[in-house]
Amino acid sequence: MKNLVIVFLFFGVISSCKTSSAKMERIYSLNDSTEDKFYLLNIIYENQKNGTLGGRPMVIIDSSVKFHYCMPNFDKLNISKSEIKKLKITEASKCIKLYGAAAEFGLIEIYTY
């Protein structure tokens, strides 16, 4: 019985470390109703493949932190693709000095002006 509990705990910890695609959509989807809704997600996935971003990158919109993986609660990004004027991707090793563990997976800075 004790071994069974340990196995369940192990798999619970492992599965909680992974970010499901549904959770990624909830976090990073834009307000658009078309394919543009996944614009930011597609950029994240592309940068994850080349190693620039990790699992759940921090998002800053116009100098305001909107999401990082340590946040227990967060609001939807509340932005559409047409509002994005500039997008800057920074890998974790370069931004962790400024933002600490919150930027462990990299940083996406979005500018609407």
Side-chain angles (χ1 to χ4, degrees), residues 29-63:
S29 290
L30 302 179
N31 286 342
D32 301 276
S33 59
T34 63
E35 283 298 310
D36 288 344
K37 178 179 185 171
F38 303 109
Y39 172 72
L40 188 58
L41 270 170
N42 291 333
I43 289 172
I44 291 169
Y45 291 145
E46 183 180 307
N47 281 274
Q48 286 174 335
K49 286 179 189 174
N50 69 25
T52 305
L53 293 175
R56 291 172 287 173
M58 180 180 203
V59 176
I60 296 177
I61 300 176
D62 295 333
S63 303

Side-chain angles (χ1 to χ4, degrees), residues 3 13 27 31 36 42-44 51 68 79-80 82 87 93:
N3 289 340
V13 168
I27 296 169
N31 286 342
D36 288 344
N42 291 333
I43 289 172
I44 291 169
H68 62 80
I79 189 171
S80 62
S82 63
L87 192 87
S93 63

Side-chain angles (χ1 to χ4, degrees), residues 1-9:
M1 183 67 172
K2 185 177 178 181
N3 289 340
L4 188 60
V5 170
I6 291 172
V7 168
F8 281 122
L9 285 174

Side-chain angles (χ1 to χ4, degrees), residues 99-112:
Y99 300 103
E104 179 179 341
F105 298 108
L107 171 65
I108 301 169
E109 293 176 273
I110 298 173
Y111 301 92
T112 61

Side-chain angles (χ1 to χ4, degrees), residues 91-105:
E91 60 186 275
S93 63
K94 294 180 181 172
C95 60
I96 204 161
K97 291 176 187 174
L98 291 172
Y99 300 103
E104 179 179 341
F105 298 108

